[in-house]
Amino acid sequence: MLKKIITIAAAGLLSLASLASAETLINGAGATFPYPLYSKWFSEYAKIDKSVKFNYQSIGSGGGIKQITTQTVDFGASDKFLSDAELKGAPGKLIHIPTVMGAVVVTYNLPGVPSGLKLSSEDVADIFLGRITKWNDPKITNDNPGIKVPDKPIVVVRRSDGSGTTSIFTDYLSSVNQEWANKVGKGPSVKWPVGLGGKGNEGVAGQVKNTQFSIGYVELAYAVENKLPFAFLKNKEGKFVEPTIRSISAAAAGAAKNMPADYRVSLVNQPGKDTYPIVGFTWLLVYEQQKDKVKGQKLVEFLNWSLHKG
């Protein structure tokens, strides 16, 4: 699938002049969700092509969408695909190139419960709606026999900035809870019923790590990097599933059968007994017609490298 995407992107970009010998700086901005991988990619690629340097601002999907639509960067990055209206409002044709898929995990700081906490979709929604306020609420303890859950208030942590991670998470909550869908909805920014704000996945992970009895949502890599536990979530088939490469990849299996031509698709709450329920693509947003031919060529070369070796 991605090979086809790169072919389309390469064909769509302008015919390119011979490259200048000076270093080419390519600026990008957006999602924090894939930043751990992107930073590694850019570092490794600099060893392969010393004539190009990537400058990426990990500012959240909302910022990435804004900067690419105002053409202040050469590429944007978002975990939320653009709507038809957003695409129409852009000054040129934007291509969505899915680079990575990953999981949004519900992470927590619960002394005495280092791992293994199970949460149903209903409980996750009720926690972020402010309806479940204590860790030892029967709805939580009934799903966790044998785990001594403390009698402490739950401290909710959520994003304060425009975020593709939030878009994926609220898309999931809207799909499993009608009250959430009606009262809060989905998108990169929503009016949160409760919670402390953190900027970026980094900010939420930091808040949870430093606040006992807290709960938040981050991309899986941020939980791993910060040595934070994450919950087993009940999926569409009623099975509690841990986020693993296998369970995350399973979410794409159903979506692949009906993949739209522009790759704008939601992967949340997909069927399958082994499927983790909060999964999403993250996309690079690139103009089909590049103003700077040299940068366009370098961008295509990088995309080909990321597909085959990244």
Side-chain angles (χ1 to χ4, degrees):
M1 181 184 76
L2 285 181
K3 189 174 291 184
K4 178 183 174 186
I5 296 167
I6 302 301
T7 302
I8 292 170
L13 295 172
L14 285 171
S15 299
L16 304 165
S18 54
L19 302 178
S21 58
E23 182 179 78
T24 301
L25 178 63
I26 299 177
N27 294 302
T32 64
F33 183 99
Y35 178 65
L37 179 61
Y38 284 0
S39 61
K40 183 67 173 175
W41 274 359
F42 298 146
S43 175
E44 290 299 312
Y45 193 69
K47 301 173 186 176
I48 295 165
D49 185 350
K50 294 181 171 60
S51 70
V52 64
K53 181 179 180 182
F54 285 86
N55 172 39
Y56 182 74
Q57 304 167 56
S58 176
I59 59 173
S61 295
I65 292 170
K66 182 177 181 181
Q67 291 207 25
I68 191 62
T69 52
T70 57
Q71 296 183 297
T72 54
V73 291
D74 302 305
F75 68 91
S78 177
D79 316 322
K80 168 198 172 294
F81 59 77
L82 275 65
S83 66
D84 290 344
E86 288 173 318
L87 287 174
K88 188 175 180 180
K93 182 179 179 181
L94 276 171
I95 301 171
H96 285 74
I97 303 176
T99 52
V100 189
M101 62 180 295
V104 176
V105 301
V106 176
T107 186
Y108 56 91
N109 181 337
L110 202 51
V113 187
S115 63
L117 186 72
K118 296 176 180 177
L119 292 173
S120 70
S121 54
E122 295 84 2
D123 291 351
V124 174
D126 281 344
I127 288 170
F128 281 84
L129 280 168
R131 296 197 176 284
I132 294 179
T133 59
K134 286 285 196 76
W135 277 109
N136 66 339
D137 187 288
K139 291 181 179 178
I140 296 176
T141 58
N142 288 343
D143 285 331
N144 291 276
I147 294 180
K148 189 175 181 180
V149 186
D151 179 13
K152 294 287 185 179
I154 298 173
V155 181
V156 173
V157 183
R158 42 74 176 179
R159 289 285 286 270
S160 61
D161 55 329
S163 156
T165 308
T166 295
S167 187
I168 295 169
F169 187 61
T170 56
D171 185 15
Y172 163 72
L173 292 179
S174 295
S175 73
V176 298
N177 185 281
Q178 195 59 49
E179 183 182 0
W180 185 278
N182 293 337
K183 291 186 177 180
V184 184
K186 61 184 178 181
S189 297
V190 297
K191 187 174 181 181
W192 292 97
V194 293
L196 304 173
K199 187 174 181 180
N201 276 284
E202 303 95 331
V204 172
Q207 286 263 36
V208 172
K209 188 173 185 176
N210 294 317
T211 308
Q212 287 191 339
F213 311 110
S214 61
I215 190 169
Y217 63 94
V218 294
E219 196 277 325
L220 175 59
Y222 290 87
V224 174
E225 284 183 353
N226 287 277
K227 296 181 173 58
L228 289 169
F230 37 82
F232 288 59
L233 298 183
K234 184 181 282 188
N235 65 14
K236 199 170 186 176
E237 313 301 330
K239 182 179 177 182
F240 288 101
V241 180
E242 179 183 12
T244 63
I245 289 177
R246 181 181 176 184
S247 65
I248 295 166
S249 299
K257 298 175 184 177
N258 300 295
M259 184 65 66
D262 58 12
Y263 302 102
R264 293 185 296 163
V265 65
S266 169
L267 299 180
V268 304
N269 212 29
Q270 291 290 322
K273 64 183 180 65
D274 297 321
T275 300
Y276 183 74
I278 318 182
V279 177
F281 275 138
T282 186
W283 295 266
L284 286 185
L285 305 173
V286 182
Y287 283 104
E288 183 179 67
Q289 302 294 329
Q290 292 285 307
K291 285 184 175 181
D292 188 313
K293 296 180 179 181
V294 172
K295 287 186 178 183
Q297 175 66 40
K298 290 295 186 181
L299 198 49
V300 169
E301 290 171 357
F302 167 75
L303 289 169
N304 272 304
W305 174 87
S306 66
L307 167 64
H308 294 102
K309 298 182 179 179

